[in-house]
Amino acid sequence: MQRMLDLALSTAGLLVGAPVLLAVYLIGLFRLGPPLFRQERVGQHQRPFKILKFRTMKLNTPSLPSHQVDVCAVTPFGAFLRRTKIDELPQLWNVLKGEMSLVGPRPCLFSQTELISERAARGVFIVKPGITGLAQVNHIDMSTPKLLAETDAQMLKEWTSFAYFKYILMTVVGKGSGDVVKLR
């Protein structure tokens, strides 16, 4: 059932969001260089997949978790994309491909070994990673691996169709935030 909802909603999101996606792509092309980037992330059953996102940081920024990157790496246009969560829209393609769900634990980098360990211990990798979820709408990011893994496990334990739509709606209306980029 969730896969059918993911397919329907991600297809609708890509179609309805096409003008925004195109505009951001074109603006990004002139401001940031290649506007899209792919990054290897930990997927369901700890299998690697390439996440697709709009670029929000300078080209030479190291591939680190957001909370470990200096805030100076985020471009002004990138800050807007992150604040509005528009940088996440290309992930609808990952959902359509079946690598992600709209709702689930946010996919981490393979270098985030503490988070991977915490999630593995709680059985979180049994599901596909998601664009949003309980942790995201509660401002819990990857800088607190144990809390994040506990929250992900809680979301899975209390999973319902109602929760699926609730997290999507909360995200669309602006509840929560992305991973924090800290001033260094």
Side-chain angles (χ1 to χ4, degrees):
M1 172 81 162
Q2 182 173 335
R3 179 66 185 141
M4 291 182 350
L5 289 170
D6 280 345
L7 281 171
L9 294 175
S10 63
T11 300
L14 286 167
L15 291 173
V16 171
V20 172
L21 289 162
L22 181 61
V24 170
Y25 182 86
L26 293 173
I27 292 168
L29 199 57
F30 296 106
R31 292 183 171 230
L32 304 171
L36 292 171
F37 83 97
R38 294 182 190 281
Q39 186 179 52
E40 189 171 78
R41 299 284 181 104
V42 181
Q44 185 177 28
H45 305 299
Q46 296 188 47
R47 292 189 187 113
F49 77 100
K50 298 278 187 176
I51 198 169
L52 184 64
K53 293 184 76 168
F54 279 122
R55 182 178 306 282
T56 60
M57 299 183 192
K58 297 174 186 169
L59 283 174
N60 59 350
T61 304
S63 185
L64 296 169
S66 294
H67 63 276
Q68 293 178 355
V69 175
D70 193 310
V71 72
C72 296
V74 178
T75 67
F77 184 59
F80 166 76
L81 294 178
R82 292 173 75 87
R83 187 172 51 257
T84 59
K85 301 178 189 137
I86 292 172
D87 65 317
E88 309 286 352
L89 287 178
Q91 291 170 57
L92 292 173
W93 182 249
N94 292 108
V95 174
L96 200 59
K97 287 173 54 181
E99 298 166 324
M100 292 179 69
S101 175
L102 290 174
V103 178
R106 286 296 296 152
C108 61
L109 297 166
F110 278 93
S111 63
Q112 292 176 285
T113 55
E114 184 181 353
L115 178 55
I116 291 169
S117 225
E118 294 286 347
R119 283 179 165 171
R122 290 168 177 77
V124 172
F125 290 114
I126 194 137
V127 299
K128 290 179 185 174
I131 296 175
T132 192
L134 178 60
Q136 286 67 46
V137 299
N138 285 297
H139 305 279
I140 300 167
D141 70 11
M142 294 187 185
S143 65
T144 55
K146 185 174 182 192
L147 177 60
L148 178 57
E150 289 169 351
T151 306
D152 291 338
Q154 177 187 346
M155 176 179 65
L156 300 181
K157 183 178 176 187
E158 299 169 356
W159 187 252
T160 63
S161 295
F162 175 76
Y164 176 88
F165 287 109
K166 179 176 91 172
Y167 299 140
I168 292 171
L169 182 61
M170 290 173 79
T171 301
V172 169
V173 298
K175 178 94 168 103
S177 61
D179 283 340
V180 176
V181 178
K182 301 197 191 302
L183 188 58
R184 291 196 181 280

